[in-house]
Amino acid sequence: MSANLIGLLMEATWQTLYMVAVSAVLGAAFGLPLGVFLATSQRGELLSRPLVNRVLGLVVNAARSVPFIILVVAIIPFTRMIAGTSIGTTAAIVPLTIAAVPFIARLIENAIREVDSGLIEAARAMGATPLQIIRKVLIPEALPSITLGLTLAAVSLIGYSAMVGAVGGEGLGDLGIRYGYQRFMPDVMAVVVIILIVLVQLVQSIGEWIAAKVDKRAPKGRGQ
């Protein structure tokens, strides 16, 4: 493999990391509060807003039901309005973020719902407000599950980032298509696949390590 191709692989890897990192942060910024609201806004819950809950739930389900490759094409005008272009790394962040938000929201909702309801009742009995319960009980207790959920979202975004290469996005997917497929260079395709696998394993391992660190229920070692 030539030095030029090695340089292209390094650049494509950086582009993929940039797309995934930015879209994951933006997706979490919007998806986390949305997921918390969905988990606490049904009738009789902390932030009881059943009508708003149902409407948001329908929107989230609709967004999640659209295949990603179709979503990328369907929102090209919106992507062009936000990023100024519909191709390239920065443009790819728009559909990646839109795909990440409902996915993360559902993961956060499930994580919050796993918290023991007895803890909520105990906090209520002590006079805590709904926001205090969310901030000091629900989120801390659900933090390990939230961390694993965000890790799953980041892993999914790595796969999505490869798909945008088929529609003008940059990164490893674009390199694999242009060189590995269109120019019949199977060695490039193999290296791209290997790098993607390594990235997924690395993100998954880091996420699991962080989740174990923040899990208060995890058994401590002897002598600690």
Side-chain angles (χ1 to χ4, degrees):
M1 187 176 293
S2 67
N4 182 49
L5 280 176
I6 293 175
L8 288 173
L9 280 167
M10 293 177 64
E11 182 182 7
T13 301
W14 165 249
Q15 291 168 342
T16 294
L17 290 173
Y18 169 67
M19 285 189 288
V20 171
V22 174
S23 57
V25 170
L26 292 175
F30 290 102
L32 179 58
L34 178 57
V36 171
F37 182 79
L38 288 172
T40 58
S41 59
Q42 290 186 359
R43 189 178 302 278
E45 294 184 335
L46 291 171
L47 303 175
S48 181
R49 298 290 187 279
L51 179 59
V52 179
N53 181 283
R54 284 195 294 271
V55 172
L56 285 177
L58 288 173
V59 172
V60 167
N61 290 339
R64 289 187 61 198
S65 66
V66 179
F68 179 70
I69 196 69
I70 295 177
L71 173 68
V72 174
V73 176
I75 67 168
I76 282 177
F78 179 72
T79 300
R80 190 177 291 117
M81 181 179 69
I82 296 296
T85 178
S86 60
I87 60 174
T89 306
T90 301
I93 292 173
V94 177
L96 285 171
T97 301
I98 292 176
V101 170
F103 183 53
I104 290 175
R106 285 302 186 193
L107 292 172
I108 300 300
E109 179 187 8
N110 291 335
I112 295 294
R113 292 193 180 282
E114 290 176 357
V115 177
D116 187 358
S117 59
L119 294 174
I120 300 174
E121 295 304 320
R124 273 177 164 169
M126 296 173 63
T129 65
L131 290 179
Q132 287 175 330
I133 295 173
I134 291 171
R135 209 161 36 88
K136 298 183 179 181
V137 177
L138 291 179
I139 292 179
E141 288 294 325
L143 197 53
S145 296
I146 290 174
T147 302
L148 291 175
L150 293 177
T151 300
L152 177 60
V155 168
S156 298
L157 285 172
I158 292 174
Y160 288 163
S161 72
M163 290 185 202
V164 295
V167 287
E170 296 177 328
L172 290 168
D174 174 61
L175 187 68
I177 291 171
R178 285 193 296 115
Y179 285 83
Y181 177 70
Q182 295 177 348
R183 301 190 186 186
F184 304 101
M185 301 175 69
D187 55 333
V188 174
M189 182 67 78
V191 174
V192 166
V193 171
I194 290 171
I195 293 174
L196 289 171
I197 291 173
V198 170
L199 290 178
V200 167
Q201 292 296 327
L202 184 62
V203 169
Q204 187 68 44
S205 298
I206 293 174
E208 291 175 352
W209 179 79
I210 295 174
K213 287 292 184 182
V214 300
D215 191 354
K216 296 183 293 185
R217 300 164 298 179
K220 304 296 182 181
R222 292 183 180 178
Q224 294 183 355

